[in-house]
Amino acid sequence: QVQLVESGGGLVQPGGSLRLACAASGSIFRPNRMGWYRQAPGKERELVTDITSGDNTNYADSVKGRFTISRDNAKNTVYLQMNSLKPEDTAVYYCNLFQFGQAYFGQGTQVTVSS
């Protein structure tokens, strides 16, 4: 069993920054891929970014140059540094772990970008 717990969401003004964290616990194996998805009201869940246990990263075009993903393998934790936030980044952000063909998601954390 795998548990993912996100933290760091909140309300921020346009142009501001937030840092999300996700701690994974339980049966964690490597290699794996951890990442972040988001879902805005009325829209489908979409991949924002992910990172392999070998530190290969992937970003959605909409966040390239503004968001940075990183991970601490010793702590089974993944981070998302979000800069230059825009109102369209408003969504529930879900942590994701993918290993051995299975995907796990956290409960989600709300990010709201508004003046």
Side-chain angles (χ1 to χ4, degrees):
Q1 192 69 304
V2 172
Q3 295 82 40
L4 302 171
V5 178
E6 301 104 335
S7 61
L11 172 65
V12 64
Q13 291 188 342
S17 298
L18 278 177
R19 188 186 193 220
L20 306 182
C22 171
S25 61
S27 301
I28 310 298
F29 302 96
R30 284 194 282 273
N32 61 47
R33 189 168 69 241
M34 296 187 75
W36 295 90
Y37 284 70
R38 68 186 180 186
Q39 187 166 18
K43 294 189 176 181
E44 293 188 356
R45 191 175 295 190
E46 63 175 359
L47 174 67
V48 177
T49 177
D50 60 20
I51 182 169
T52 68
S53 45
D55 287 339
N56 293 311
T57 58
N58 174 47
Y59 293 92
D61 288 343
S62 59
V63 306
K64 281 180 182 177
R66 301 188 298 121
F67 291 11
T68 302
I69 190 170
S70 60
R71 63 186 289 168
D72 183 335
N73 287 332
K75 296 181 179 179
N76 288 323
T77 299
V78 65
Y79 305 95
L80 180 62
Q81 178 66 42
M82 304 185 292
N83 298 329
S84 302
L85 282 160
K86 304 175 181 179
E88 51 264 43
D89 294 317
T90 295
V92 178
Y93 283 70
Y94 297 91
C95 178
N96 164 257
L97 170 70
F98 187 82
Q99 63 180 19
F100 297 129
Q102 275 204 286
Y104 303 87
F105 287 91
Q107 300 264 14
T109 185
Q110 177 70 46
V111 171
T112 302
V113 185
S114 175
S115 54

